[in-house]
Amino acid sequence: MVNIVLTNENTQKRNKLFSDAMQNSIDGIFITDEKNQIIEVNEAVEKIYGYSKEELLGKNPKILSSNIYDDNFYKNMWESINSKSKWSGEIINKRKDNSLINEWMSITALHDEENKAHNYMAIITDLTQLKDAQSKMEYMLYHDSLTNLYNKSYLEIELKRLEDKTLILLNINNFSYINSAYGFDIGDEILLCVSEILKNHFEIDSAYRINSDEFALVFNKNISIVDKISEIQNYFMKHLINVKKIKLNITFSYGAVYGKDMLLRKAATALKEAKENGKNRFEIFEQTNNIDYTKRESFINSTNLIKSALDNNQFVPFFQGIYDNNSDQITKYEALARIVLEDRIISPFEFLEPAKLSGLLPEITKVMIEKTLQIMTTNDYQISINITEDDLAEGYLNDYLKEKVAFYKINPNRIVLEILEGISSTGKKNHINQLNSLKNQGFKIAIDDFGAEYSNFERILDLDIDFIKIDAKYIKNIDTNKRSFEIVKAITFFTKNVNIPCIAEFVHNENVQKIIKDLGISYSQGYYFSIPNKEI
């Protein structure tokens, strides 16, 4: 008798424990009878659906149905319950206020002693917060946080759909200056204004912000790109951006393409060309003139050639004489880089651009310095060596040259470092400091291709230049082109006034040399006097 009483007490405790667990569960739980009428619910069900317990008891769970599923959905559900005694899955139901709720529902058939289902228990997990969080994460993943436009990640997904589209990229001109002048807060406000205008005024299918100052517009059809860009240009020409009493005229550079393959890459290629051509310009990608896959393959081959030439000691300096027009003899040389293979000699025209793009120019310069100084130990000539902006950017020249002239016992004043005019006119302050430091060590400085870039005469004074080399394009036709003659005459006049010796490049015949000499140019360089050779 005592054992029976203890067993009953334990059973009561367990039943109470299960009852408390059911009532306090954060998941909704309701139980139905064999007729599928609700006979028990916990408090979570009331909170989830907004019904009171009294409103649910005796009702069919259909009272919670959202009515968005067809009969087959419920047929499959009950087939699973009857055959496997359970079903679970994500389902959308309806609250008392008719709002929809995402939930995970698990239904289990409860059997009697004869293994007949006489009750069903459903456990409901409210997925609303999880779904909301998931939606927010997906939104953040594919939207720009500032403008709420789609971002580059979503654009890349959309462009993978194999359908023809028109893509236009727009880059705001001078946006970095706007940020510098007015601050990033104003810059953000401008971006917001621009995004709203782009989204609402040009009948686009979708708009994207893909970089800080770059947008993309997608049209799911072939449109007149020229007309659309003109429409955008005209709008922004007539409407100033007005942000916090600041009024600005915004212009873009545009790159566009129509098709379905590699659209982003092609549009970016077109945009790059547009930006190189000036402000408020556009380029439309055309397979024939915007990308040359043969050229790309050639670039890869050239890069491999350069690496191989560096590894196998195949870069060789060739020397071209510089003729002194006063003493009528060659008194200086310029070291020119060549790749020497068994069957041919490769000029810089074939490898300089790939070398620059692949970051190998400094390695070539180091080889040229080393080999040129080694040859200079056998003669007394002054020799020019070309250096590039890449060399200055790496900042190694001062230490490297100091080490090499000491090793080969070469007086630095025998070395002329030829720099492109672009470096001298637009170079960073650090570059100017490096060049002045090299001057202080005794090295000579020459501006190469003077007149090829936007001339900046102030830099000539900043750098204390020793020689100016007039760009070959003005010299080669000086005997037949009056404009070339006048430009060279003006440069010569300037160099004489500041007492900087001048060198004329590309002197290739007697007529050109006569004009050079009549103008009083100090030196001549070209095939008329010297063909580049390994020997001096």
Side-chain angles (χ1 to χ4, degrees):
M1 179 67 71
V2 173
N3 287 337
I4 294 173
V5 171
L6 289 175
T7 300
N8 289 337
E9 286 180 355
N10 287 336
T11 300
Q12 290 174 1
K13 287 181 180 179
R14 290 175 60 197
N15 289 341
K16 186 176 186 307
L17 180 63
F18 280 117
S19 176
D20 289 344
M22 185 178 113
Q23 286 299 329
N24 295 319
S25 172
I26 60 172
D27 290 330
I29 301 173
F30 64 81
I31 299 173
T32 63
D33 59 18
E34 68 275 7
K35 296 179 182 179
N36 201 29
Q37 291 179 333
I38 298 173
I39 61 173
E40 187 61 74
V41 300
N42 68 349
E43 292 181 5
V45 168
E46 297 178 85
K47 292 178 181 178
I48 291 172
Y49 293 107
Y51 287 100
S52 67
K53 182 176 182 177
E54 290 72 20
E55 290 176 301
L56 292 172
L57 293 179
K59 301 292 194 304
N60 189 293
K62 285 183 178 180
I63 190 175
L64 308 174
S65 174
S66 62
N67 296 320
I68 65 174
Y69 301 102
D70 58 20
D71 292 340
N72 285 330
F73 176 85
Y74 293 104
K75 180 182 177 183
N76 292 333
M77 175 192 290
W78 280 105
E79 284 179 356
S80 177
I81 294 171
N82 292 330
S83 62
K84 301 177 183 178
S85 296
K86 60 183 179 180
W87 175 90
S88 62
E90 188 174 337
I91 189 170
I92 298 176
N93 276 329
K94 184 174 65 176
R95 298 184 180 93
K96 183 179 179 180
D97 63 5
N98 290 323
S99 63
L100 299 180
I101 176 173
N102 289 88
E103 54 192 27
W104 185 266
M105 179 177 285
S106 298
I107 301 175
T108 303
L110 305 176
H111 297 84
D112 58 17
E113 294 177 357
E114 298 178 3
N115 203 30
K116 292 181 179 179
H118 64 95
N119 290 100
Y120 301 93
M121 180 174 68
I123 302 177
I124 304 107
T125 302
D126 186 352
L127 299 179
T128 304
Q129 291 183 343
L130 180 62
K131 285 288 183 180
D132 288 345
Q134 185 179 6
S135 296
K136 288 178 182 177
M137 288 181 64
E138 289 178 356
Y139 188 88
M140 292 171 63
L141 184 62
Y142 295 122
H143 287 78
D144 173 56
S145 60
L146 174 65
T147 64
N148 290 322
L149 296 180
Y150 290 122
N151 60 16
K152 186 178 180 181
S153 297
Y154 193 72
L155 175 63
E156 290 172 340
I157 292 172
E158 286 298 298
L159 294 180
K160 287 179 182 177
R161 304 184 194 279
L162 297 179
E163 301 154 355
D164 287 337
K165 298 177 185 292
T166 300
L167 171 64
I168 301 177
L169 299 184
L170 308 87
N171 185 266
I172 300 177
N173 294 321
N174 301 321
F175 190 72
S176 61
Y177 296 110
I178 294 173
N179 272 334
S180 298
Y182 300 108
F184 290 102
D185 290 344
I186 297 296
D188 286 348
E189 291 289 338
I190 291 169
L191 291 172
L192 283 168
C193 288
V194 169
S195 67
E196 287 298 313
I197 292 170
L198 293 175
K199 183 171 62 175
N200 297 320
H201 287 80
F202 305 109
E203 297 180 354
I204 62 173
D205 289 302
S206 50
Y208 307 77
R209 182 185 175 215
I210 59 175
N211 280 315
S212 61
D213 57 355
E214 195 167 307
F215 296 85
L217 307 180
V218 171
F219 304 83
N220 296 326
K221 57 185 177 182
N222 189 5
I223 64 168
S224 172
I225 294 174
V226 174
D227 289 346
K228 185 58 66 175
I229 291 176
S230 296
E231 181 186 352
I232 297 170
Q233 286 175 321
N234 290 334
Y235 181 94
F236 281 95
M237 187 184 302
K238 295 175 182 177
H239 297 83
L240 296 177
I241 300 295
N242 193 341
V243 174
K244 296 182 179 177
K245 298 182 180 180
I246 298 171
K247 294 182 179 181
L248 293 171
N249 178 254
I250 296 294
T251 64
F252 302 90
S253 296
Y254 305 81
V257 65
Y258 173 75
K260 60 184 176 183
D261 297 319
M262 296 185 294
L263 295 188
L264 190 55
R265 181 187 299 179
K266 291 175 179 178
T269 299
L271 175 61
K272 181 175 181 291
E273 289 192 15
K275 292 169 75 172
E276 289 173 351
N277 292 334
K279 308 297 183 185
N280 204 23
R281 303 291 185 90
F282 70 86
E283 287 290 335
I284 301 173
F285 181 93
E286 299 291 346
Q287 188 70 27
T288 54
N289 60 17
N290 282 82
I291 190 164
D292 186 344
Y293 291 99
T294 303
K295 184 177 179 181
R296 184 174 66 179
E297 185 176 348
S298 173
F299 168 74
I300 294 171
N301 292 336
S302 296
T303 302
N304 291 336
L305 171 67
I306 294 165
K307 291 179 180 177
S308 175
L310 287 169
D311 292 339
N312 295 295
N313 197 31
Q314 292 169 322
F315 274 98
V316 177
F318 275 49
F319 299 93
Q320 185 175 41
I322 300 175
Y323 187 82
D324 188 328
N325 289 321
N326 295 315
S327 64
D328 292 326
Q329 60 182 335
I330 290 175
T331 58
K332 310 174 189 296
Y333 285 86
E334 179 181 357
L336 304 168
R338 299 287 189 269
I339 295 177
V340 178
L341 305 180
E342 291 182 1
D343 57 340
R344 63 192 176 114
I345 297 172
I346 301 173
S347 75
F349 297 106
E350 296 186 47
F351 62 76
L352 274 187
E353 185 63 21
K356 179 175 179 60
L357 293 173
S358 57
L360 293 173
L361 276 179
E363 297 306 312
I364 297 173
T365 302
K366 289 176 183 177
V367 171
M368 288 294 295
I369 290 172
E370 178 87 34
K371 291 189 174 183
T372 299
L373 294 188
Q374 188 175 6
I375 290 171
M376 288 177 72
T377 60
T378 65
N379 60 69
D380 296 322
Y381 289 111
Q382 188 177 73
I383 294 182
S384 299
I385 301 173
N386 291 286
I387 62 172
T388 69
E389 192 163 12
D390 298 59
D391 298 311
L392 293 169
E394 287 205 5
Y396 72 89
L397 279 170
N398 274 273
D399 292 339
Y400 189 79
L401 282 165
K402 185 176 182 180
E403 175 191 338
K404 293 303 176 183
V405 295
F407 180 82
Y408 288 105
K409 298 180 173 58
I410 301 293
N411 191 325
N413 65 19
R414 290 180 58 200
I415 300 172
V416 180
L417 302 174
E418 291 194 9
I419 62 174
L420 293 176
E421 186 194 15
I423 297 174
S424 63
S425 63
T426 62
K428 297 177 182 178
K429 184 177 180 180
N430 176 262
H431 297 176
I432 303 299
N433 291 338
Q434 287 183 66
L435 293 169
N436 281 325
S437 176
L438 288 165
K439 277 283 296 181
N440 292 335
Q441 293 180 46
F443 295 97
K444 305 293 185 183
I445 303 293
I447 293 182
D448 196 9
D449 296 338
F450 188 80
E453 301 282 344
Y454 298 106
S455 299
N456 189 327
F457 296 102
E458 182 182 355
R459 289 291 188 227
I460 294 175
L461 301 178
D462 289 344
L463 288 170
D464 189 18
I465 296 298
D466 296 287
F467 301 98
I468 285 176
K469 300 187 76 173
I470 303 175
D471 185 39
K473 69 182 178 184
Y474 300 119
I475 301 297
K476 63 181 180 180
N477 297 320
I478 195 172
D479 55 335
T480 59
N481 188 313
K482 190 174 187 309
R483 183 171 293 180
S484 290
F485 175 81
E486 292 298 333
I487 291 173
V488 174
K489 182 179 177 182
I491 294 174
T492 306
F493 179 78
F494 167 75
T495 57
K496 285 180 178 179
N497 282 343
V498 294
N499 197 30
I500 301 176
C502 205
I503 303 171
E505 296 185 291
F506 211 98
V507 178
H508 57 98
N509 62 42
E510 184 178 355
N511 291 336
V512 170
Q513 171 59 12
K514 183 178 184 309
I515 295 172
I516 296 304
K517 206 162 184 181
D518 289 345
L519 287 172
I521 294 176
S522 303
Y523 299 93
S524 296
Q525 181 178 350
Y527 277 39
Y528 183 64
F529 294 106
S530 174
I531 295 174
N533 197 289
K534 288 192 289 185
E535 306 295 332
I536 294 180

